[in-house]
Amino acid sequence: MSRTSSGEIGGVLRHCNTVSNWLQRWWENSVGLPAAEPGQVSRWSWTAKLPWPSWLPPTLGWLMLAALVLVIVEVYRRDGRTLGVRQRAVLIALRCAIVSLVLLLLAQVSVSVERTGLPLLVVLIDDSASMGLREAYSADADRQYVATLVGSSSATASADAERWELARRILTREDGRWLRELRRRHKLRIERFSAETVPIGDEMLDDESVRRLIADLERLLPTGDVTRPAEAVRQVLNQTRGTPPAAIVLLTDGIASSGDADRLSAVVPLARERLVPLFVIGIGSDQATRDVQLAELIVDDVAFANDPLMFSAKVKSFGLAGQSATVELRERGKEISLVRRSIKLPEDGQALTVDLLFTPTQPGDLDFELFVAPPPGDVDRDNNRLSRSVRIREGKLKILLAEGLPRWEFRELKNLLERESTIELHTLLQEADLEFTLQDETAKPLQGRFPLSREALSAYDVLLLGDLNPGALSPGALEHVREFVREGGGVLLMAGSQHMPLGFRGTPLETLLPVELDGASVPAPEADLREPFQPRWTEAGRSSTPLFRHLQLDALSNGDDSVGGSAARDVWRSLPGLFWLCDAPRLRAGATVLLEHPLRRGEKQPLPVIALQRFGAGKVLFHATDELWRWRFRDGERIYSRYWVQALRFLSRSQSLDGARGVEFTADRQTYQRGDSVKFRLEFHDQRQLPASGVATVMLERTDEPRRSIELARVVNSPNLFAGELRGLSVGRFHAWLSDPSFPGSPPAVDFIVEAPQRELLRRQLDRADLEAATRATHGRYFALHEADRVPAEIPAGQSVPLSAATIIPLWTRWELLLLFVSLLTTEWLCRRRWRLV
């Protein structure tokens, strides 16, 4: 019964409120006031002066008014003796109304209308990269609340939610209930911040604006490079200097990645001066975030059966420094470990390079997966594994070794390659006698003649060209060599004192060289070459190519974990020194120096000893010295043989690809910082696969983002090579694949990662102490994650904000009052006439 009564009372009140609003809108319209906009309220007040002279005391004036009323009553009581009580009451009421209206006109009654707005409330959402971290919560209340937010029936699923996703769901779940509750008493403004504040949508004035905000939040991602909570609050306070907000609400982890000056507590004095309390919902855990990441997996696309294959990757960790982890290599989809290695995890944010060696025994296309098995507590298992496809090749490499004279480099190299079971060697010696051509098994196939056709050259995987006399070659031979490289072949050019490389100036072979011949020279025969030099390993030589992988193998065998570590440098320094060097001071654009002279310099860099250049779909390696044979002395025999075998296999890889695998699609790196340029490179082995339009199209994909296309343009003077550059990518993992031209099966693809700047991810745990101190000092409040739904009830109501000066509307001059006055007089006269009083 009581419920029914309460419901009826509520219905009556709502009806009265509706009628009151209608009357207010009607009155505002009648006096010419514009209708109040959403979020605005009209405040009415009356002004009047006393309807008697100012010299008359107010008490006497009110007594005179009371006496006037009594006179009116007495007059109608005496004159209306023949009338009934009801008729006399009507006449008395009409006469009093007329007198009251006259008094209102004499008092010059006016109405003052003031428009006020709801107090402002600003909500700031942290969209920095640290908000993209996944979190494991230790408190049961937080775990249960996170499970509710993400729609999971199990509290253990909380680790799968990013901080940004939790903040977004607090605002948007149940059709924005949290926002709608705040909008009842406040005008809402929602902004995101990292380095500075950026508004999201319009001010929250109606339900439609709430829906638009929810749609905008769905499209946003946490990509900020830096977090500055204090600066964000300072910007809001400066923007609202005249009318400060009732409060500022922040959803943040509180991590000030730019320094202590941007922690939230740094803005407390200004917030207290403006009397603005800060309310904070802490997103994240104040426990150290435990995470292991695997990135930048490097492995050859093509390898050979029974040949060691190196997998190199970088391991990063947070909150797990010094703990043990296991790195395993598997075939994708299989749990059997092919090789494993235990490591000590590095300091937070530091990268540890880990190399694993595996020797495949069977040919075929294999999918490998590198996996880090971290200690317990790792919050993100998705970034613990990387995969790559490798083609394992079986059979011998077919090598052509062509030389002018039987110098030491030719002799030692020929002896080495003849003993190598995986190589089929053919040799050509221009200055050889007939006996050598007829009796040497490696010279018999060519019979002293350089291959005359492109078809004959294409039978080889790699060409080793020494100090050849260009005059002894047929006119089209060098052009065939260039086309051989353009179509994916490998060539190694060995400098000599007679012809290579200076004698090939102006020939097709000059365009293959990684160095410019202008300014190049070779030592004179009488030059004093008694001082040896030890070539220096460049950064590109350590990391960009597998040519010196044998040094890394020796380093690993000696317990050195780093690429180019101390053990590898010791092995390098143990090699005998070199004496003779072709001076090439200028590099060709795009060339890479792998070994350099330790002291002598060219125009912009030390003189190259070994340099690499890509030409079309193939590779060209240039030896500026002819003394690598010296490495065979002392303990260098193993290193010498490994280098040459690795170099031949490296140069032959483009020839080992076919079909879609005959297209090499790469990015210049696997990991980028936000703001870096991503450079794509596309090489075609077969000209028949070239795009008919002259432009190759690459599709770029990322989870939760629309697919986008990128056009790669042909590189000048390299018809088989296409390149393109992409800027402005957000933080995340990307997958790029070739869409035009198309290939059967899986298209050539590359994966890469864009990371936030290192400083944004170095500190990961919630800065709860600073957030609590800031809210306490400003008379606000800190809310744990599971308390987020209590925020709307805790925010102070604030004071209404005057939107404009009050509008004065004189009522005593309105025609409606004159009409009412005439109507009352007419009604009284008609009543008196009807009742025979006139």
Side-chain angles (χ1 to χ4, degrees):
M1 185 71 179
S2 60
R3 290 181 194 160
T4 303
S5 300
S6 299
E8 291 176 351
I9 293 174
V12 171
L13 292 177
R14 285 192 295 272
H15 179 71
C16 293
N17 186 57
T18 301
V19 172
S20 174
N21 291 336
W22 181 86
L23 289 175
Q24 178 176 322
R25 288 194 298 271
W26 173 84
W27 173 247
E28 291 175 348
N29 184 64
S30 64
V31 297
L33 287 176
E37 297 179 0
Q40 294 183 357
V41 177
S42 298
R43 288 187 175 182
W44 297 75
S45 61
W46 302 83
T47 59
K49 63 180 183 179
L50 295 175
W52 50 74
S54 58
W55 51 265
L56 188 66
T59 302
L60 182 59
W62 289 111
L63 290 175
M64 292 175 61
L65 289 177
L68 179 60
V69 171
L70 292 177
V71 169
I72 292 172
V73 172
E74 179 59 26
V75 168
Y76 277 106
R77 186 186 67 79
R78 185 183 68 246
D79 294 345
R81 290 193 182 107
T82 59
L83 300 177
V85 176
R86 181 176 299 176
Q87 294 169 328
R88 280 183 289 175
V90 170
L91 292 174
I92 291 173
L94 287 172
R95 181 57 60 88
C96 288
I98 293 171
V99 172
S100 299
L101 190 57
V102 171
L103 293 175
L104 287 176
L105 295 176
L106 294 175
Q108 298 183 5
V109 176
S110 300
V111 175
S112 176
V113 182
E114 182 183 22
R115 287 284 167 81
T116 61
L118 294 174
L120 177 64
L121 178 67
V122 180
V123 178
L124 298 177
I125 310 171
D126 186 351
D127 71 340
S128 63
S130 64
M131 291 291 286
L133 298 174
R134 298 182 183 274
E135 202 69 64
Y137 294 89
S138 57
D140 291 339
D142 284 342
R143 286 202 303 270
Q144 294 173 1
Y145 184 71
V146 170
T148 302
L149 287 179
V150 301
S152 172
S153 58
S154 171
T156 60
S158 62
D160 293 333
E162 295 181 351
R163 295 176 180 178
W164 169 262
E165 180 67 11
L166 298 180
R168 188 183 64 79
R169 287 181 180 267
I170 289 173
L171 272 60
T172 62
R173 70 186 181 120
E174 298 180 17
D175 199 24
R177 176 177 59 85
W178 195 87
L179 295 172
R180 296 175 192 276
E181 290 181 10
L182 290 175
R183 192 178 61 82
R184 292 175 185 171
R185 297 188 301 164
H186 301 88
K187 182 173 66 174
L188 278 182
R189 196 169 83 195
I190 314 297
E191 300 187 1
R192 57 186 175 91
F193 75 93
S194 51
E196 59 184 14
T197 60
V198 178
I200 306 176
D202 304 323
E203 292 181 343
M204 299 292 99
L205 301 176
D206 52 22
D207 291 344
E208 181 59 30
S209 60
V210 174
R211 285 190 288 270
R212 287 196 301 268
L213 174 75
I214 294 175
D216 291 339
L217 287 173
E218 293 285 350
R219 292 189 291 268
L220 293 177
L221 292 171
T223 58
D225 296 340
V226 64
T227 312
R228 306 180 66 190
E231 180 60 23
V233 173
R234 188 176 293 110
Q235 288 183 21
V236 171
L237 294 176
N238 290 336
Q239 292 167 1
T240 59
R241 187 184 301 271
T243 54
I248 298 176
V249 180
L250 295 94
L251 290 84
T252 179
D253 54 21
I255 302 172
S257 57
S258 56
D260 290 344
D262 282 320
R263 300 176 76 188
L264 187 61
S265 56
V267 80
V268 163
L270 180 61
R272 295 184 62 175
E273 178 186 335
R274 305 284 173 83
L275 302 177
V276 178
L278 303 179
F279 292 80
V280 176
I281 302 175
I283 309 292
S285 172
D286 53 1
Q287 303 297 318
T289 301
R290 300 162 66 88
D291 186 25
V292 177
Q293 302 175 359
L294 190 62
E296 296 193 29
L297 174 58
I298 300 175
V299 64
D300 296 336
D301 293 330
V302 180
F304 293 84
N306 300 310
D307 191 51
L309 179 63
M310 177 178 284
F311 294 80
S312 179
K314 292 183 178 180
V315 177
K316 291 183 181 180
S317 70
F318 296 89
L320 297 167
Q323 298 193 33
S324 298
T326 302
V327 183
E328 297 183 7
L329 179 68
R330 310 170 178 171
E331 281 193 58
R332 189 185 301 175
K334 299 181 180 180
E335 295 298 324
I336 300 176
S337 177
L338 301 176
V339 61
R340 64 173 58 193
R341 183 178 174 190
S342 296
I343 61 171
K344 293 291 185 182
L345 294 174
E347 296 294 327
D348 287 3
Q350 300 299 313
L352 171 67
T353 299
V354 179
D355 298 315
L356 294 180
L357 291 176
F358 172 68
T359 303
T361 58
Q362 299 296 325
D365 293 336
L366 299 180
D367 292 329
F368 292 99
E369 181 179 75
L370 198 63
F371 172 73
V372 181
D378 184 36
V379 298
D380 188 358
R381 300 274 173 158
D382 292 340
N383 58 9
N384 293 2
R385 64 187 72 227
L386 291 172
S387 59
R388 290 291 183 274
S389 295
V390 180
R391 170 161 292 183
I392 308 301
R393 174 179 171 176
E394 189 177 46
K396 294 184 177 182
L397 287 178
K398 194 171 182 180
I399 307 298
L400 169 60
L401 173 59
E403 183 61 82
L405 294 170
R407 55 179 177 163
W408 280 105
E409 194 80 321
F410 170 79
R411 295 175 184 178
E412 299 294 344
L413 181 56
K414 178 178 180 295
N415 292 335
L416 168 68
L417 300 183
E418 283 179 319
R419 297 193 305 267
E420 182 63 40
S421 61
T422 62
I423 290 176
E424 179 184 348
L425 178 65
H426 293 176
T427 59
L428 168 66
L429 190 60
Q430 289 179 328
E431 300 295 331
D433 54 25
L434 183 61
E435 183 180 357
F436 173 81
T437 304
L438 296 177
Q439 294 182 2
D440 190 283
E441 294 296 328
T442 64
K444 287 180 180 180
L446 294 177
Q447 298 181 355
R449 292 190 298 270
F450 194 85
L452 300 179
S453 65
R454 293 176 58 181
E455 291 73 14
L457 273 182
S458 64
Y460 294 96
D461 293 293
V462 179
L463 308 180
L464 303 179
L465 306 183
D467 201 11
L468 292 169
N469 181 358
L473 299 175
S474 64
L478 296 182
E479 183 62 38
H480 294 334
V481 171
R482 184 165 68 173
E483 291 304 311
F484 171 80
V485 179
R486 189 193 302 276
E487 295 177 1
V491 170
L492 192 150
L493 304 174
M494 296 173 283
S497 59
Q498 300 294 323
H499 305 289
M500 180 65 73
L502 301 182
F504 290 86
R505 192 190 309 270
T507 70
L509 207 62
E510 181 181 6
T511 60
L512 299 181
L513 286 165
V515 297
E516 297 281 357
L517 294 185
D518 292 341
S521 63
V522 297
E526 64 275 9
D528 185 6
L529 301 176
R530 288 180 296 179
E531 288 296 330
F533 66 91
Q534 198 78 303
R536 187 168 56 194
W537 212 0
T538 66
E539 181 63 30
R542 285 194 293 269
S543 58
S544 298
T545 70
L547 291 177
F548 301 104
R549 188 153 293 167
H550 55 289
L551 293 181
Q552 299 176 29
L553 300 179
D554 288 335
L556 287 173
S557 66
N558 292 328
D560 190 355
D561 292 343
S562 61
V563 174
S566 59
R569 291 192 294 269
D570 290 342
V571 172
W572 187 257
R573 286 193 292 265
S574 70
L575 295 174
L578 308 178
F579 294 87
W580 190 90
L581 181 70
C582 171
D583 291 2
R586 297 173 57 187
L587 289 177
R588 193 177 297 275
T592 302
V593 178
L594 308 179
L595 286 184
E596 63 188 12
H597 197 284
L599 300 176
R600 296 169 58 188
R601 294 186 59 84
E603 286 191 357
K604 298 180 180 179
Q605 71 286 316
L607 289 176
V609 177
I610 296 180
L612 171 70
Q613 174 172 273
R614 295 177 180 269
F615 185 85
K619 307 180 187 75
V620 179
L621 201 62
F622 174 63
H623 287 187
T625 180
D626 64 350
E627 294 186 343
L628 293 191
W629 56 272
R630 295 182 181 275
W631 288 356
R632 294 193 63 188
F633 298 127
R634 299 205 295 264
D635 297 328
E637 174 71 28
R638 183 181 69 257
I639 295 175
Y640 176 77
S641 60
R642 280 184 178 178
Y643 167 75
W644 277 107
V645 171
Q646 193 66 48
L648 295 178
R649 292 178 177 179
F650 168 70
L651 292 172
S652 70
R653 287 192 179 94
S654 295
Q655 290 281 57
S656 301
L657 301 171
D658 62 335
R661 298 297 300 275
V663 176
E664 293 186 58
F665 177 45
T666 60
D668 58 330
R669 300 204 301 273
Q670 292 187 10
T671 302
Y672 300 85
Q673 296 284 310
R674 177 177 168 85
D676 290 348
S677 297
V678 180
K679 298 179 180 179
F680 294 110
R681 179 188 180 92
L682 180 64
E683 296 177 325
F684 290 90
H685 168 66
D686 189 345
Q687 288 189 352
R688 293 171 297 181
Q689 298 174 330
L690 291 173
S693 63
V695 175
T697 303
V698 171
M699 302 304 296
L700 185 68
E701 296 178 337
R702 182 189 176 210
T703 305
D704 300 329
E705 283 192 4
R707 180 183 297 176
R708 57 191 294 190
S709 63
I710 307 156
E711 290 188 348
L712 306 186
R714 193 189 305 270
V715 176
V716 178
N717 296 327
S718 299
N720 288 13
L721 181 61
F722 293 74
E725 188 172 341
L726 189 61
R727 299 176 181 269
L729 291 178
S730 57
V731 174
R733 292 177 179 262
F734 292 86
H735 177 71
W737 53 277
L738 184 63
S739 64
D740 183 24
S742 60
F743 293 89
S746 299
V750 62
D751 296 313
F752 60 91
I753 301 172
V754 178
E755 294 181 340
Q758 191 66 22
R759 64 178 181 177
E760 176 61 22
L761 298 179
L762 283 178
R763 295 176 56 192
R764 297 189 163 205
Q765 58 263 42
L766 171 74
D767 195 354
R768 179 166 183 165
D770 184 72
L771 298 178
E772 287 182 337
T775 56
R776 188 167 50 249
T778 58
H779 305 288
R781 182 176 172 185
Y782 174 85
F783 296 87
L785 182 61
H786 67 275
E787 299 174 318
D789 290 341
R790 297 169 53 183
V791 172
E794 297 286 341
I795 301 299
Q799 297 183 352
S800 298
V801 180
L803 301 179
S804 60
T807 302
I808 307 298
I809 303 175
L811 297 183
W812 60 282
T813 60
R814 301 285 301 181
W815 62 270
E816 293 91 343
L817 289 183
L818 178 59
L819 179 62
L820 179 60
F821 179 73
V822 173
S823 299
L824 289 175
L825 286 176
T826 303
T827 301
E828 184 188 21
W829 183 82
L830 291 175
C831 289
R832 290 173 62 86
R833 180 178 178 82
R834 178 178 178 83
W835 294 331
R836 301 181 184 278
L837 294 181
V838 293

